[in-house]
RNA sequence: GGCGCGGUAGCCAAGUGGUAAGGCAGAGGUCUGCAAAACCUUUAUUCGUGAGUUCGAUUCUCACCCGCGCCUCCA
């Protein structure tokens, strides 16, 4: 079956293809840069990375826009507390975001766009909405009148028709006509950053930036819009309301939402003491690719229980794959090719692809790979694995790693050079030959302390860096 | 209350109307000077509970129990 995704809008799994030519136009909600990204954020960004890579693996070009929200209440508050401009304040966390995502091997979207670079576009959009009578003004702030938009609620599958202006919910604080109405433009307040504009001094509301930037770069109808489940309502619902009020066209064809992550089965929160940034985990000694593996291994629509046992399991699983690759690269196999095994390799590759085609079922894709690894190891042990089977096996691993990207170790390679390691190994081989096992073990131990792991095989000693 | 997600072995976690993938951990074994790696055996007669539909349900329906998310800017 072809590539397909679960679409929040229709609540169904649907075959996917881009609307125009071969390019997928995709928008994802990026970070609000007021802090370092935590592993919950990274779960979503990792899902988006897997999505990107798989779309490309299936032959599509990408035009992926990610926003950086660099004006927002928390930013203003924190920047003010540090006596910094919001530009100065957000620059630090924007850089940190770029570093952290690079560390996690997340590909850069084709375009990263900042809200503050698009204030004029937003003002223009708000004016258009006003001209179409989707807005009203109160105390200098501009609000979106949701009762005017008939599809309101179609993404979150809520029925808001029963909500009437002024009913039950007292909203005098914001002078909104309806509790669900949301702000497009916030009137300037003393001590807060603001922009002069045709609709008065102020700053944009949160939702408008995504509608405006998405359509500016990708056109009126996106192929994919993605984010965390928490954004379904109100953020994405409001984006639809804004965008479709502006264009009268569907804003996005596919809405993909990733589930939340829990830590040790608990909601992650600072107060619970189980709040982790990537930097925290690296500081505890976990390699980035281990975190990446754990985040990627659970299908994105399933809640992910992030545990330290899970991290250890991820590290061991990666080792298993790396060991297999090392064996492929270093063992000597009999000439020829085992046709049965070749077929097995093709079957594994097919299953891997079919699993990812099925709404990015990473768990199933991994299962296909590991099953193959066991089969291949078995046939190596028995001598059925031939030299001619190596290329396709390596290609399967490469195909896997083009998506998961965990085989390359990220540790620094300071210390012994390859030649030095080889020399120590030669010394140890001599010692073994002389049955000086104490000396041989000593060399192995010293190398281990230098981060070099030795494995003796029939054909000699192979080694890897820790 | 509304909307939505989930409860599968010690842990993580796939999956299907026909009888339970994979990873990790545990136990035993093979190999090895030792170790590592790898492999083999073993760990769910059972998929939250009850009822129903069916020749047959973990998979469909209903009810219930439990956990979770969203419902004013949190991935």
């Amino acid at each position: 079956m072809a590539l397909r995704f679960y679409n929040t809008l229709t609540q169904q799994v649907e075959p996917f293809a881009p609307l125009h030519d071969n390019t997928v136009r995709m928008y994802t909600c990026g970070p609000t840069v007021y802090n370092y990204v935590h592993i919950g954020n990274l779960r979503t960004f990792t899902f988006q990375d897997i999505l990107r890579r798989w779309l490309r693996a299936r032959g599509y070009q990408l035009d992926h826009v990610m926003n950086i929200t660099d004006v927002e209440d928390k930013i203003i508050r924190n920047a003010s507390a540090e006596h910094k401009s919001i530009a100065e304040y957000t620059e630090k966390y924007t850089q940190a975001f770029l570093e952290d995502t690079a560390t996690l091997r997340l590909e850069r979207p084709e375009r990263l766009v900042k809200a503050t670079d698009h204030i004029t576009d937003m003002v223009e959009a708000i004016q258009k909405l006003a001209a179409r009578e989707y807005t009203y003004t109160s105390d200098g702030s501009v609000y979106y009148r949701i009762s005017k938009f008939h599809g309101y609620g179609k993404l979150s599958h809520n029925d808001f028709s029963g909500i009437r202006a002024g009913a039950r919910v007292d909203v005098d604080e914001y002078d909104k006509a309806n509790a669900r109405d949301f702000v497009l433009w916030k009137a300037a307040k003393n001590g807060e950053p603001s922009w002069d504009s045709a609709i008065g001094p102020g700053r944009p509301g949160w939702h408008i930036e995504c509608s405006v930037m998405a359509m500016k770069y990708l056109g009126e109808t996106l192929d994919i819009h993605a984010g965390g489940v928490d954004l379904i309502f109100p953020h994405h619902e409001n984006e639809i309301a804004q965008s479709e009020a502006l264009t009268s066209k569907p804003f996005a064809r596919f809405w993909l939402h990733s589930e939340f992550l829990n830590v040790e089965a608990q909601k992650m929160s600072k107060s619970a003491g189980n709040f982790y940034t990537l930097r925290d985990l690296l500081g505890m000694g976990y390699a980035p690719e281990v975190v990446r593996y754990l985040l990627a291994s659970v299908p994105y629509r399933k809640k992910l229980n992030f545990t330290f046992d899970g991290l250890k399991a991820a590290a061991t699983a990666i080792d298993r794959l790396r060991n297999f690759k090392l064996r492929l690269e270093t063992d000597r196999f009999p000439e020829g090719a085992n046709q049965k095994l070749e077929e097995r390799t093709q079957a594994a590759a097919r299953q891997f692809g079919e699993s990812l085609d099925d709404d990015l079922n990473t768990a199933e894709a991994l299962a296909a790979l590991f099953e193959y690894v066991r089969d291949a190891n078995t046939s190596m042990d028995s001598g059925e694995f031939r030299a001619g089977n190596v290329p396709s096996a390596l290609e399967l691993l490469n195909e896997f790693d083009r998506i998961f990207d965990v085989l390359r170790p990220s540790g620094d390679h300071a210390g012994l050079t390859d030649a030095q390691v080889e020399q120590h190994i030669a010394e140890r081989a001599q010692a073994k030959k002389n049955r000086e096992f104490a000396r041989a073990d000593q060399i192995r131990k010293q190398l281990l302390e230098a981060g070099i792991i030795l494995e003796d095989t029939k054909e000699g000693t192979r080694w890897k860096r820790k």
Side-chain angles (χ1 to χ4, degrees):
Chain A
M1 276 178 87
L3 180 60
R4 54 209 187 275
F5 297 124
Y6 179 86
N7 188 348
T8 306
L9 194 60
T10 59
Q11 298 179 298
Q12 283 180 334
V13 175
E14 300 174 339
F16 174 82
L19 193 57
H20 304 293
D21 55 67
N22 207 37
T23 300
V24 176
R25 290 166 179 80
M26 170 159 94
Y27 185 91
T28 58
C29 290
T32 300
V33 281
Y34 68 96
N35 202 342
Y36 296 111
V37 283
H38 61 250
I39 54 175
N41 299 318
L42 291 172
R43 199 267 167 112
T44 293
F45 296 137
T46 301
F47 142 64
Q48 291 163 3
D49 185 64
I50 300 289
L51 173 63
R52 280 182 56 90
R53 290 168 184 253
W54 190 242
L55 285 168
R56 250 205 340 263
R58 281 312 194 208
Y60 295 118
Q61 307 269 78
L62 292 173
D63 193 353
H64 174 192
V65 175
M66 177 187 275
N67 67 306
I68 290 181
T69 300
D70 59 351
V71 53
E72 181 264 356
D73 290 352
K74 279 189 286 284
I75 290 172
I76 292 169
R77 194 186 61 211
N78 293 3
S80 162
E82 293 185 18
H83 305 292
K84 286 180 178 163
S85 69
I86 61 167
E88 198 183 347
Y89 180 81
T90 56
E91 179 59 20
K92 173 184 169 185
Y93 289 109
T94 302
Q95 284 311 315
F97 171 74
L98 296 177
E99 285 171 27
D100 288 348
T101 50
T103 301
L104 249 205
R105 306 179 185 185
L106 305 179
E107 293 182 345
R108 278 269 191 114
E110 279 62 34
R111 311 171 206 245
L112 273 169
V113 294
K114 292 182 181 180
T116 54
D117 289 339
H118 296 78
I119 302 289
T120 308
D121 299 304
M122 291 189 237
V123 169
E124 283 169 13
I126 293 168
Q127 285 178 303
K128 261 186 222 165
L129 285 171
R132 295 182 173 215
E133 298 179 341
Y134 280 95
T135 71
Y136 59 91
T137 302
S138 175
D139 278 349
S141 291
V142 182
Y143 295 92
Y144 185 101
R145 190 188 301 280
I146 65 154
S147 58
K148 173 89 178 180
F149 182 70
H150 294 302
Y152 199 76
K154 67 183 176 184
L155 181 68
S156 55
H157 303 285
N158 280 312
D159 179 7
F160 295 104
S161 61
I163 297 175
R164 281 175 296 280
R168 258 197 67 209
V169 188
D170 183 15
V171 291
D172 56 355
E173 189 189 345
Y174 295 106
D175 290 319
K176 289 193 284 188
N178 180 317
R180 307 281 182 182
D181 287 349
F182 57 92
V183 69
L184 295 162
W185 188 255
K186 293 187 180 186
K189 282 192 206 157
N190 259 345
E192 287 191 355
S194 72
W195 284 261
D196 284 322
S197 80
I199 50 176
R203 59 186 169 95
W206 177 37
H207 313 297
I208 192 68
E209 69 176 78
C210 289
S211 288
V212 164
M213 295 192 288
M215 292 196 291
K216 173 167 182 169
Y217 296 106
L218 299 174
E220 293 179 333
T221 298
L222 321 177
D223 290 309
I224 295 176
H225 193 131
V229 283
D230 57 318
L231 297 184
I232 295 171
F233 190 87
H235 184 52
H236 289 163
E237 196 73 72
N238 291 349
E239 284 187 46
I240 291 175
Q242 294 165 338
S243 306
E244 298 191 358
L246 283 168
T247 68
S248 304
K249 289 179 185 154
F251 177 44
R253 300 167 56 232
F254 282 77
W255 287 89
L256 273 53
H257 292 100
S258 53
E259 253 298 348
F260 262 49
L261 162 156
N262 291 130
V263 174
E264 306 286 350
Q266 301 282 311
K267 185 183 167 91
M268 182 172 74
S269 71
K270 282 182 179 162
S271 58
N274 63 355
F275 182 95
Y276 299 104
T277 63
L278 179 64
R279 289 160 191 243
D280 292 334
L281 296 172
L282 300 183
M284 295 163 80
Y286 294 100
E289 65 270 25
V290 169
V291 178
R292 179 179 167 90
Y293 182 97
L294 180 55
L295 295 180
S297 63
V298 178
Y300 76 96
R301 286 202 295 128
K302 174 122 182 166
K303 284 188 189 70
L304 189 158
N305 189 13
F306 188 96
T307 66
F308 289 95
D309 280 352
L311 277 177
K312 287 190 201 98
T316 311
I318 292 172
D319 277 343
R320 181 166 166 79
L321 297 174
R322 285 179 180 165
N323 287 336
F324 177 64
K325 189 176 183 194
L326 186 67
R327 199 174 180 189
L328 280 171
E329 290 167 339
T330 58
D331 273 16
R332 270 197 251 128
F333 303 104
E335 290 306 307
N338 180 329
Q339 198 48 42
K340 246 183 132 175
L341 208 64
E342 280 302 286
E343 284 163 22
R344 186 70 192 81
T345 313
Q346 301 315 319
R350 200 180 323 115
Q351 184 56 54
F352 182 82
E354 282 176 7
S355 296
L356 290 177
D357 274 349
D358 183 12
D359 199 27
L360 303 178
N361 191 337
T362 49
E364 198 174 72
L366 287 171
L369 180 71
F370 278 104
E371 243 176 304
Y372 170 76
V373 169
R374 179 171 26 76
D375 283 358
N377 270 321
T378 302
S379 61
M380 286 177 185
D381 288 352
S382 70
E384 291 166 63
F385 195 100
R386 303 302 175 90
N389 297 118
V390 171
S392 62
L394 280 174
E395 177 47 32
L396 175 62
L397 276 181
N398 287 337
E399 187 182 331
F400 153 78
D401 212 38
R402 276 194 291 275
I403 310 302
F404 284 82
D405 202 355
V406 294
L407 295 183
R408 174 171 46 89
S410 52
D412 57 57
H413 280 189
L416 297 172
T417 64
D418 288 9
Q420 287 172 315
V421 173
E422 301 287 0
Q423 198 184 330
H424 286 298
I425 289 174
E427 244 178 79
R428 177 167 171 272
Q430 189 57 48
K432 277 177 66 175
K433 208 173 171 186
N434 301 341
R435 304 196 64 81
E436 295 165 20
F437 293 122
R439 170 76 186 136
D441 289 350
Q442 187 195 17
I443 293 170
R444 184 169 63 196
K445 196 178 163 209
Q446 282 169 345
L447 284 172
L448 182 63
E449 280 161 8
I452 308 295
I453 296 167
L454 300 191
E455 295 175 4
D456 292 336
T457 73
K458 280 173 199 151
E459 292 109 30
T461 301
R462 71 178 164 222
W463 63 279
K464 61 189 176 187
R465 293 180 192 274
K466 207 189 279 180

